[in-house]
Amino acid sequence: MVNASTQPGRDGLRMVIMGPPGAGKGTQSPRIKDTFCICHLATGDMLRAAVRAGTQIGKEAKKVMDAGGLVSDDIMVNLIKENLETNPECKRGFILDGFPRTVVQAEKLDDMLHARRQKLDKVVELQIDDALLVARITGRLIHPSSGRTYHSVFSPPKKTMVDDVTGEPLVQRSDDNAEALKTRLAAYHKQTVPVANYYKRQGLWRGVNADQPQEAVWANLAAIFAERK
């Protein structure tokens, strides 16, 4: 059990959660967010929110995306910085989900946090064999506005295709299929595994076996959060 006495630092927790698609980031991140009263910064959600709000960074990102390009590392870091400065939920810390994906991004993130006189407390990677992810991914259901995830077999909603909390419809991502997963896993291993090595050198990285029931994964996470920095 995680409680206030085990939180890393007086101001909560600043962490990155890593893992291949289907490893359980969308399941565990909201629980971490609620436990530590911090913000959950998922890259896709941040981008969509900034574009909807029409912020300066959102306008820059929309221009790039409308042209079919990839949003630059600098835009993403500035978007994170903007959230840290304006989102009240980020006052006690944050959990970054989907960023950094490359070593260059990790370095830019470190530079931004250093300028704010902050640093990461933990980097957790949810580890699972690629072969086990197909069944997880192909049955995954998502509540778009909150990011809550379900699974048609392993963790179904109380009512078919309906979010338990809001009653709104659930969706399945168009790329949640076996063929697309192979491409996404190849990209993950090529780009993101070096990021794990980067954080290992800093002594921040911890691995968690994600091929366990959700409560067992949470227990492993709780033990990591209870470690002294």
Side-chain angles (χ1 to χ4, degrees):
M1 181 69 180
V2 179
N3 55 49
S5 65
T6 62
Q7 292 188 21
R10 290 184 305 171
D11 56 348
L13 174 69
R14 293 183 290 269
M15 71 169 289
V16 169
I17 190 166
M18 300 171 54
K25 300 187 297 297
T27 298
Q28 298 298 337
S29 293
R31 192 165 182 178
I32 298 169
K33 164 187 162 71
D34 292 343
T35 298
F36 288 95
C37 298
I38 58 179
C39 61
H40 176 204
L41 301 179
T43 52
D45 293 342
M46 281 192 296
L47 280 169
R48 287 187 288 272
V51 170
R52 283 197 304 269
T55 66
Q56 183 58 42
I57 296 175
K59 292 176 181 177
E60 293 175 18
K62 186 176 188 301
K63 184 177 180 180
V64 173
M65 292 187 292
D66 287 349
L70 294 175
V71 176
S72 72
D73 295 345
D74 288 335
I75 288 178
M76 285 308 307
V77 170
N78 284 332
L79 186 56
I80 294 167
K81 181 174 180 285
E82 181 179 71
N83 273 269
L84 298 185
E85 293 174 347
T86 63
N87 185 343
E89 289 188 326
C90 297
K91 185 176 181 180
R92 290 183 53 80
F94 59 83
I95 173 170
L96 269 179
D97 177 358
F99 191 94
R101 294 178 184 265
T102 68
V103 172
V104 170
Q105 290 177 352
E107 291 171 342
K108 288 179 179 289
L109 175 64
D110 278 351
D111 289 343
M112 184 271 287
L113 291 174
H114 179 74
R116 291 174 54 82
R117 298 183 180 180
Q118 295 178 331
K119 62 180 181 178
L120 292 172
D121 297 309
K122 305 286 182 183
V123 175
V124 174
E125 182 175 10
L126 301 180
Q127 300 175 297
I128 186 169
D129 189 270
D130 288 1
L132 299 174
L133 292 172
V134 175
R136 283 193 177 193
I137 284 289
T138 54
R140 183 165 64 174
L141 306 171
I142 299 172
H143 179 237
S145 61
S146 71
R148 275 187 293 276
T149 59
Y150 302 83
H151 193 281
S152 57
V153 176
F154 305 127
S155 182
K158 294 174 183 177
K159 186 176 179 181
T160 303
M161 292 302 293
V162 173
D163 179 53
D164 289 350
V165 178
T166 65
E168 295 172 343
L170 301 176
V171 301
Q172 185 168 33
R173 283 175 41 162
S174 59
D175 57 350
D176 277 353
N177 60 74
E179 200 58 41
L181 177 61
K182 292 179 183 177
T183 302
R184 293 164 67 192
L185 287 173
Y188 174 78
H189 292 307
K190 180 178 180 181
Q191 292 186 331
T192 316
V193 169
V195 176
N197 293 332
Y198 174 83
Y199 286 124
K200 285 177 183 178
R201 290 192 292 271
Q202 296 185 26
L204 294 174
W205 179 93
R206 298 290 186 275
V208 171
N209 175 17
D211 181 24
Q212 304 180 84
Q214 292 179 15
E215 287 302 319
V217 174
W218 177 249
N220 290 165
L221 288 169
I224 290 171
F225 298 145
E227 294 174 357
R228 297 184 65 179
K229 289 192 288 183

